[in-house]
Amino acid sequence: MGFQTLVVNASTGVELAFIDSGPPPSRDVYTTIIAVHGMIFTNRVFQKVMDIAPSKGVRFVALNRRPFPGSTPFTPEELNVTLTGGTGDADRDIQIEARGHEIATFAAEFIRKFKLPPLSHNGTQGGVALLGWSVGAAYPLAAIGSSPTLPKDVKQLLGSYIRSLITYEPAGLVVGLGAPSQQWTPLADTTMPANMRLPAFGQWVTAYFNHQDIVQRDLDKLSWILSSPSLVPTLYNIPIDELDDMMRLGDDAATDLPFLIAFQNQLLTSYRKAFFDADIAKAFPHMKRSFLVGSKTAAFGFAGMWAVQNDAKVNGGSVPITYKVIEGTNHFAHWDVPEFALDTFIELIG
């Protein structure tokens, strides 16, 4: 299946590549899920979910973020700000708004081009759900958080269509809430040769982890480093030709960690606006917000969810958030148990 593209900035010609399950057969009304991939793994990581989406009565679209394959690379100026943070918050504010507008515009253009079914009057059919996985969760959050500065027609269209915002296993860094002292990943292990950190992360993050306790919300009872000896990491169950097609270990993938570190203020603002801002809630009256974690995912998934729950107690408003833990899954539920994962997405859409 090749990439299709949509222009998301008419003045610069920026495009985002995507793959699409297509509309479910014999269905005039259906919901469309637009998914954003995480670090290293491209939109192809959602292929198994896409394959079964039509049988579940949904359409599943997975885009590639810039600068991943098929989508427009960053300009030298954009790349510099992404990698270094630029000269200050003003540079970073411009960049996060641009990334958010690209996702929002993609959704609007997809709705228009493919004449997606609108949300029904009772809010239970049709419409669009935005799903961001891992690092990719930052992008739908930025789309909603930056929506006040979208063109009026785009904002109104999205406000009438978007029914769900699913935040799927981001670390605390992804939502601007930092990292706990316990956190460890190969990406940040400076004892490891720099050129080995991305490949090592790509293997480690696909493992299953036996956490001592996930009920007490105690970070010290999470398995931060060692994975389960009894469950095979997802990486080893992906055919090599498919793995080569979905896994990126070059300069494109190397943009994510510097972005997370440099853009903490902007990521925090995006997430809080998307989750808690009263004016945005009014502009997206049908949008349910949810946070999803698998019980055997890497520890950063629980740390991220607990950080959001703690933050919501202090900074949250009246907008409800659904927190869901699914039993037995790792960071790649959409590959290892795609039907279960898709059923869970559909449940969260409501």
Side-chain angles (χ1 to χ4, degrees):
M1 184 187 298
F3 292 127
Q4 302 179 66
T5 60
L6 281 179
V7 174
V8 295
N9 188 320
S11 63
T12 62
V14 167
E15 296 180 326
L16 294 182
F18 67 95
I19 49 180
D20 175 20
S21 69
S26 305
R27 294 287 290 266
D28 294 327
V29 179
Y30 56 86
T31 298
T32 300
I33 300 173
I34 298 177
V36 184
H37 66 89
M39 186 179 289
I40 298 178
F41 293 88
T42 70
N43 59 359
R44 299 289 186 187
V45 77
F46 292 111
Q47 188 63 58
K48 284 191 171 184
V49 170
M50 294 184 64
D51 290 343
I52 62 174
S55 69
K56 296 288 184 177
V58 299
R59 185 172 192 163
F60 199 99
V61 179
L63 61 84
N64 264 351
R65 300 185 277 113
R66 299 174 67 198
F68 285 83
S71 294
T72 302
F74 290 135
T75 66
E77 294 77 16
E78 290 171 328
L79 182 60
N80 176 64
V81 176
T82 300
L83 294 176
T84 69
T87 59
D89 275 325
D91 284 350
R92 296 189 286 273
D93 290 345
I94 291 170
Q95 289 298 308
I96 200 75
E97 179 184 69
R99 300 293 83 77
H101 281 192
E102 287 163 3
I103 301 301
T105 302
F106 177 92
E109 290 302 308
F110 198 93
I111 289 167
R112 290 167 172 158
K113 179 175 181 177
F114 294 99
K115 298 179 174 59
L116 297 186
L119 188 60
S120 62
H121 291 299
N122 63 4
T124 62
Q125 299 182 73
V128 169
L130 299 181
L131 183 151
W133 170 60
S134 199
V135 172
Y139 291 78
L141 290 170
I144 300 301
S146 67
S147 60
T149 55
L150 286 169
K152 185 177 180 180
D153 63 318
V154 173
K155 182 167 63 173
Q156 290 179 340
L157 179 67
L158 295 180
S160 68
Y161 264 82
I162 294 180
R163 58 184 291 196
S164 182
L165 174 64
I166 301 173
T167 303
Y168 178 22
E169 290 193 0
L173 280 171
V174 177
V175 293
L177 292 173
S181 60
Q182 297 91 339
Q183 181 152 312
W184 180 89
T185 78
L187 290 172
D189 188 341
T190 56
T191 67
M192 188 179 298
N195 67 334
M196 298 301 294
R197 293 173 197 164
L198 278 173
F201 177 79
Q203 294 189 25
W204 172 84
V205 78
T206 72
Y208 287 76
F209 295 84
N210 293 331
H211 302 298
Q212 181 182 348
D213 190 291
I214 58 174
V215 176
Q216 297 182 41
R217 294 162 44 90
D218 184 344
L219 293 170
D220 288 326
K221 293 186 176 180
L222 298 176
S223 182
W224 287 93
I225 299 173
L226 294 179
S227 60
S228 169
S230 61
L231 295 166
V232 177
T234 304
L235 185 83
Y236 302 110
N237 286 322
I238 302 175
I240 192 64
D241 58 331
E242 295 182 59
L243 187 63
D244 288 343
D245 198 30
M246 77 168 67
M247 195 175 185
R248 305 291 294 182
L249 299 172
D251 291 342
D252 44 9
T255 59
D256 281 334
L257 185 60
F259 165 72
L260 292 181
I261 294 170
F263 282 70
Q264 281 295 282
N265 289 344
Q266 289 69 33
L267 294 168
L268 179 62
T269 298
S270 291
Y271 134 70
R272 283 182 173 164
K273 284 185 175 180
F275 268 34
F276 308 134
D277 186 272
D279 290 334
I280 288 178
K282 290 178 183 177
F284 293 86
H286 314 289
M287 189 176 75
K288 301 179 180 70
R289 294 151 179 82
S290 58
F291 201 110
L292 176 64
V293 177
S295 70
K296 291 188 177 295
T297 195
F300 64 71
F302 279 103
M305 183 175 73
W306 295 342
V308 168
Q309 289 174 324
N310 292 338
D311 188 55
K313 292 177 182 177
V314 178
N315 297 295
S318 59
V319 179
I321 303 166
T322 298
Y323 301 97
K324 186 172 182 64
V325 177
I326 48 177
E327 183 60 35
T329 64
N330 69 346
H331 198 49
F332 289 74
H334 46 283
W335 185 271
D336 281 354
V337 284
E339 183 172 13
F340 181 41
L342 184 55
D343 285 344
T344 302
F345 302 156
I346 293 169
E347 175 190 337
L348 292 172
I349 292 168

